[in-house]
């Protein structure tokens, strides 16, 4: 459990950093100070360095990139003070030069003030966006019933936490049920569809007796949403799982989505799932997806991945071999497995072109 909490805390730190925005490189922050110290020291040592005085005019604009209005004003004031020190041999600036530097310093303070206000507004807007997106897909609990859970999500659209992928794990009267899906498109435009599908799944978990009925409810939800919309073409792929109460068996239904990968000891294989149409096309009731039952043994794990992971490509345009690579992570704790796969994709330089989602489910049957 410590590994799950550790991965979650790292994820939270990353998201808090995203809200603040990427800080400027350290060398950008220290450059104004280094210029001030370097030019001042050089002009104190030798009068022949007075030609470097023009560099002082660049300090206030550089300070705007990293500092607030107060620090920018202080650096601008230090520049003017250095120009009036006799020991620096720069104490004879022309009136025009001095006025130019003072004007640049004052303008830099104003720009820094505007930037600080803008950054504060962006932080507020991003915090609101994060709260909304967290409401759409809240963090997974460490355990649902007898099933351990660990999820990983990276949206393809920069600056968003939720895109076109979704997953959920819920416990109901018929056992623990899980879903992973991918709606048409990605980014914020797909969030409304994700909300509809997750709502339909959470409701169906409570009152539908089998996975086929759950898929039918989600299919109907998309059909209703797209009714009356010209050229809507609204659809989603999904894979649904249902663990029995004792977690010794899992039933799987696929609707156009990649099948789960079963990790048994140091082996990994894709679960064979009957092909079925994606949700939203109105074909689920006409041709219901076929349920597949998979027996589970102690220590087995199931990994679900979205197209963004399966279709990651390397320089030769080859797909990422997920099932093959998983054998290298047989000893990786379940809470760290999704993060390890994502790190492996990056280390092998595979390009991810879509939302990347991973869900690790660890059934824990009772000890006999």
């Amino acid at each position: 459990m410590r590994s799950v909490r550790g991965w979650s805390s790292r994820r939270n730190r990353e998201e808090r950093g995203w809200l603040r925005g990427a800080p400027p490189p350290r060398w950008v922050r220290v450059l104004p100070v280094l210029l001030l110290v370097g030019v001042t020291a050089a002009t104190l040592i030798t009068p022949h360095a007075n030609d470097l005085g023009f560099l002082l005019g660049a300090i206030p604009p550089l300070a705007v990139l990293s500092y607030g209005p107060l620090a920018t004003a202080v650096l601008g004031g230090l520049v003017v003070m250095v120009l009036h020190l006799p020991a620096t041999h720069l104490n004879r600036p022309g009136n025009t030069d001095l006025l130019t530097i003072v004007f640049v310093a004052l303008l830099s303070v104003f720009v820094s003030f505007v930037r600080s206000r803008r950054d504060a507004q962006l932080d507020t807007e991003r915090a609101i966006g994060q709260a909304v997106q967290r409401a759409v897909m809240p963090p997974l609990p460490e355990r649902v019933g007898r099933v351990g859970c660990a999820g990983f999500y990276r949206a393809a659209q920069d600056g968003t936490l939720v895109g076109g992928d979704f997953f959920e794990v819920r416990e109901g009267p018929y056992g623990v049920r899980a879903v992973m899906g991918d709606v048409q498109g990605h980014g914020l435009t797909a969030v409304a569809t994700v909300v509809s599908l997750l709502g339909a799944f959470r409701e169906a978990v409570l009152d539908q007796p089998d996975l086929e009925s759950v898929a039918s409810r989600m299919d109907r939800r998309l059909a209703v949403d797209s009714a009356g919309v010209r050229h809507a073409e609204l659809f989603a792929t999904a894979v649904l799982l249902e663990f029995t109460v004792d977690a010794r068996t899992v039933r799987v239904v696929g609707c156009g989505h990649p099948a789960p990968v079963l990790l048994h000891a140091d082996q990994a294989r894709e679960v064979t799932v009957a092909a079925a149409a994606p949700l939203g096309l109105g074909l689920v009731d006409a041709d219901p997806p076929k349920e597949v039952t998979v027996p589970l043994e102690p220590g087995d794990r199931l990994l679900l991945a979205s197209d963004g992971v399966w279709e990651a490509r390397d320089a030769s345009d080859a797909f990422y071999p997920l099932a093959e690579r998983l054998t290298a992570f047989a000893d990786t704790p379940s809470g760290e497995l999704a993060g390890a796969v994502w790190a492996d994709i990056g280390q092998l330089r595979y390009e991810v072109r879509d939302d990347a989602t991973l869900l690790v489910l660890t059934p824990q049957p009772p000890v006999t």
Side-chain angles (χ1 to χ4, degrees):
M1 290 301 173
R2 288 194 298 269
S3 61
V4 175
R5 288 193 289 269
W7 187 88
S8 298
S9 64
R10 290 195 298 272
R11 171 66 169 155
N12 292 335
R13 288 196 297 271
E14 290 176 5
E15 290 174 356
R16 289 196 296 268
W18 169 78
L19 284 176
R20 291 191 297 267
R26 183 172 298 179
W27 66 268
V28 174
R29 293 183 60 85
V30 303
L31 184 57
V33 178
L34 289 180
L35 275 178
L36 181 62
V37 173
V39 172
T40 302
T43 54
L44 288 174
I45 293 173
T46 172
H48 300 293
N50 57 3
D51 290 339
L52 298 177
F54 76 95
L55 294 174
L56 295 176
I59 292 175
L62 287 174
V64 173
L65 300 176
S66 305
Y67 299 101
L70 180 59
T72 302
V74 169
L75 287 170
L78 290 175
V79 168
V80 175
M81 186 181 70
V82 169
L83 288 173
H84 285 82
L85 290 177
T88 62
H89 311 288
L90 300 173
N91 60 326
R92 295 179 182 177
N95 291 333
T96 302
D97 294 337
L98 184 59
L99 286 174
T100 299
I101 289 179
V102 171
F103 174 77
V104 170
L106 292 175
L107 182 61
S108 297
V109 172
F110 174 74
V111 173
S112 179
F113 172 76
V114 173
R115 181 186 61 81
S116 299
R117 292 288 299 273
R118 183 206 61 189
D119 288 349
Q121 182 179 4
L122 285 176
D123 285 347
T124 300
E125 292 175 353
R126 286 171 174 171
I128 294 172
Q130 185 194 41
V132 172
Q133 292 171 340
R134 284 246 181 236
V136 172
M137 201 170 70
L140 282 176
E142 296 179 2
R143 181 187 302 275
V144 178
R146 289 189 173 276
V147 180
C149 309
F152 180 95
Y153 200 115
R154 282 294 185 276
Q157 182 174 329
D158 293 336
T160 62
L161 297 180
V162 176
D165 289 357
F166 62 92
F167 56 73
E168 180 64 290
V169 184
R170 289 291 175 106
E171 186 174 19
Y174 304 100
V176 175
R177 288 171 170 174
V179 64
M180 173 177 282
D182 182 4
V183 307
Q184 178 192 24
H186 55 77
L188 294 177
T189 57
V191 173
T193 306
V194 169
V195 172
S196 293
L197 283 173
L198 285 177
F201 172 78
R202 290 162 183 164
E203 180 182 353
V205 162
L206 300 177
D207 55 24
Q208 296 300 320
D210 51 63
L211 284 182
E212 292 92 339
S213 299
V214 176
S216 178
R217 176 73 65 85
M218 297 173 71
D219 177 72
R220 186 180 65 182
R221 177 72 266 171
L222 283 188
V224 170
D225 287 348
S226 60
V229 180
R230 188 178 182 183
H231 306 305
E233 297 181 355
L234 189 61
F235 66 91
T237 62
V239 59
L240 297 95
L241 294 84
E242 179 183 278
F243 294 88
T244 53
V245 175
D246 60 5
R248 296 182 185 277
T249 303
V250 62
R251 291 182 281 270
V252 184
V253 165
C255 298
H257 196 277
V261 178
L262 176 64
L263 284 78
H264 175 73
D266 59 350
Q267 298 179 345
R269 66 174 180 86
E270 287 186 56
V271 175
T272 302
V273 178
L279 304 174
L281 302 181
L283 300 178
V284 171
D285 288 333
D287 185 16
K290 305 300 187 295
E291 184 180 87
V292 175
T293 300
V294 181
L296 298 172
E297 298 182 17
D300 284 355
R301 294 179 286 180
L302 287 161
L303 184 138
L304 288 73
S306 66
D307 289 342
V309 175
W310 284 100
E311 297 179 1
R313 298 171 184 265
D314 61 11
S316 63
D317 214 33
F319 291 128
Y320 177 70
L322 177 59
E324 177 184 334
R325 293 297 301 169
L326 278 176
T327 59
F329 305 114
D331 298 327
T332 303
S334 297
E336 301 175 4
L337 181 59
V341 172
W342 177 253
D344 187 56
I345 292 174
Q347 290 172 359
L348 297 179
R349 300 185 181 278
Y350 279 81
E351 181 185 2
V352 178
R353 304 175 182 178
D354 201 350
D355 300 330
T357 310
L358 293 158
L359 178 62
V360 180
L361 301 174
T362 309
Q364 297 181 350
V367 178
T368 56

